[in-house]
Amino acid sequence: MNSAFDQIRRHPSAVLLAVQLIGVLLYPAMDSSTPGRLAFETFGLLVLLLAIFSVRELPGPTWVVITLASSAAGLAIIDIFWSNPVLQVASAALHAAFYFWATVVLLRYMLADRKVTTDELFAVGATFTLVAWGFAYLFVLLQVLQPGCFIAAVDSDQPRTWTELLFLSFTTLSSTGLSDIVPVTAHARSVVMIEQLAGLGYVALVVSRLVALTTLRVSGDR
């Protein structure tokens, strides 16, 4: 038991990545009902707390970050029972702010030294998912402020679900272009373009650097 806990403590980024990927599989079952949305927000709070745990050196007081995460989840839960555009905007903005904050801190962690650790390799995937989640919440924010800014082939007149917006975020960030969700307003297209640039920059900056450092380490061991 202690050994398993030690592994989790040494590799928090691996745990965060695993939970994020589990969420991708579970979210489609949580979109359409009140109990499902409650489970979604509870799971989301777990992800937020794991993101905090994954960050080795928190910039500023820890309570500030925990307050940001709990406020984002709390507003989303309140919105389940008292739907209000103001709550939705505030919750989406706080979620996006938290995920982008965690992204920056994990990037600093990965780029801090010239030795690639196992946890840093897991952090590459975990950081990618954090960016995807952050932009997905920006899409949620845009959809509340500009209803109809995202359309799809199915139920084009309906608001896009969280799973659809997360799918759009992943396909945009990874530059696969497989999404059938289409931004149709200028602001929505601008945010999508920024995410495309972020995806290219992430691969160029982080992945290429870690590959180069790993190659140098292997060459030095020979």
Side-chain angles (χ1 to χ4, degrees), residues 9-33:
R9 187 170 59 181
R10 284 199 298 268
H11 305 300
S13 298
V15 178
L16 175 61
L17 176 60
V19 171
Q20 291 276 70
L21 295 179
I22 291 171
V24 170
L25 298 176
L26 294 179
Y27 287 151
M30 300 179 181
D31 267 344
S32 57
S33 66

Side-chain angles (χ1 to χ4, degrees), residues 57-188:
E57 297 181 2
L58 292 170
T62 304
W63 68 267
V64 174
V65 182
I66 294 177
T67 300
L68 176 63
S70 58
S71 297
L75 289 175
I77 291 173
I78 293 173
D79 181 67
I80 294 174
F81 301 100
W82 183 43
S83 183
N84 185 289
V86 175
L87 288 177
Q88 294 167 7
V89 167
S91 175
L94 289 174
H95 274 97
F98 176 85
Y99 280 113
F100 288 133
W101 169 86
T103 296
V104 171
V105 177
L106 274 180
L107 282 173
R108 288 174 54 189
Y109 164 61
M110 287 188 291
L111 301 175
D113 55 37
R114 299 185 61 83
K115 181 180 179 181
V116 181
T117 65
T118 301
D119 189 62
E120 285 178 347
L121 294 176
F122 284 117
V124 173
T127 304
F128 186 91
T129 62
L130 290 176
V131 177
W133 257 253
F135 274 101
Y137 276 108
L138 281 185
F139 296 158
V140 172
L141 177 63
L142 279 171
Q143 185 168 245
V144 176
L145 296 176
Q146 294 184 335
C149 62
F150 296 102
I151 63 172
V154 178
D155 297 326
S156 61
D157 59 333
Q158 297 298 314
R160 310 278 43 100
T161 66
W162 163 255
T163 302
E164 288 177 314
L165 294 177
L166 185 62
F167 178 62
L168 171 63
S169 184
F170 266 96
T171 55
T172 301
L173 189 64
S174 61
S175 299
T176 57
L178 296 176
S179 180
D180 61 338
I181 315 301
V182 181
V184 293
T185 66
H187 290 94

